[in-house]
Amino acid sequence: MDTDSMELVELEGIEDEQSAVARGRGTLLRLCVVAASILASIVVLSVLPILGATYPHSRVMVPSLTGPADALLQMFGLTPVLVAVAALTVLALIRRLPYGIGAVISLVVGASLTTAAVRNWADGWVPASALPNGYVCACISLICAATLVAAPRFLPMVWGLGAVAAITVSSAAVVGGAASIVGVVTTLLIVVGWWAGSSAVMLYSPIAAAREAQNPLDTAALAFRERMR
């Protein structure tokens, strides 16, 4: 082996080691986010009510907007969510993300089941308005799932449009009386916890990372068009 080859192997070893360190730090940070979201949820839904804190009940703020708000929330019912999850899993397949399908399903399904479990667990000593809302959970979890499988170049657009959608749906829930601001916050805590855990899994997707590094322009759209030829 010549000197240039040896130097190349050494550089690749250094890059691999640096990548491993970065993944380790990223995983630790995300696990801290998971722990923080769990702790914050317990404080809001258990500790504060025990200490005497009272949360306001939800109410219809603008009666004329009740119909449109309910219609918007219904867009995140079971069937639309399943269709969206299927689309995201297809995107993960097209982009050859090794852990993308599992991350998307675990995030959306896990957040939804946790929301249902928390509503059942905290029912009785916390007003229903302060409990996580299923429609808001579906919306935000789908947005977060999209960030896991979207190409890096599209992430700013996904986060930007996702933030607008999340704010719109959350506002509809509050205005229509389906949830209060506390309920939106508890929903957000649950989804953030699941997103942090799922994104930690996506850090260990070396095949997808190498593919993006070799050809940053190989987006899902281009890959799909190449396969259709």
Side-chain angles (χ1 to χ4, degrees):
M1 183 179 293
D2 56 23
T3 304
D4 292 339
S5 298
M6 293 178 62
E7 290 179 351
L8 180 59
V9 171
E10 291 177 356
L11 288 175
E12 290 178 348
I14 293 174
E15 290 178 355
D16 291 340
E17 183 178 353
Q18 291 176 343
S19 298
V21 172
R23 284 196 298 270
R25 291 176 178 174
T27 301
L28 179 60
L29 176 61
R30 285 162 173 78
L31 291 178
C32 290
V33 173
V34 173
S37 66
I38 294 174
L39 180 61
S41 299
I42 293 174
V43 169
V44 173
L45 295 174
S46 181
V47 176
L48 291 181
I50 291 175
L51 294 177
T54 57
Y55 298 128
H57 293 273
S58 58
R59 58 184 180 85
V60 177
M61 295 185 176
V62 184
S64 61
L65 294 179
T66 301
D70 290 340
L72 179 60
L73 293 178
Q74 291 298 327
M75 292 176 62
F76 295 93
L78 179 60
T79 300
V81 169
L82 291 177
V83 172
V85 170
L88 291 175
T89 55
V90 170
L91 177 59
L93 283 173
I94 293 175
R95 296 195 61 236
R96 298 178 183 176
L97 297 173
Y99 308 132
I101 296 176
V104 168
I105 294 176
S106 64
L107 170 55
V108 178
V109 176
S112 298
L113 291 178
T114 303
T115 295
V118 169
R119 289 184 64 88
N120 183 66
W121 166 70
D123 185 32
W125 73 79
V126 178
S129 60
L131 298 177
N133 181 271
Y135 295 118
V136 178
C137 174
C139 173
I140 300 178
S141 62
L142 285 174
I143 294 168
C144 291
T147 65
L148 298 179
V149 296
R153 62 184 300 184
F154 294 129
L155 279 178
M157 181 179 65
V158 173
W159 278 119
L161 295 177
V164 173
I167 293 173
T168 302
V169 173
S170 299
S171 300
V174 174
V175 170
S180 66
I181 296 178
V182 178
V184 172
V185 171
T186 56
T187 305
L188 185 61
L189 289 174
I190 291 174
V191 176
V192 167
W194 276 99
W195 173 82
S198 300
S199 63
V201 173
M202 291 300 291
L203 290 176
Y204 296 86
S205 183
I207 298 177
R211 185 165 177 263
E212 287 288 342
Q214 291 174 3
N215 189 0
L217 297 179
D218 191 11
T219 62
L222 290 176
F224 182 79
R225 186 170 62 183
E226 290 172 1
R227 293 193 178 195
M228 293 298 291
R229 289 178 180 177

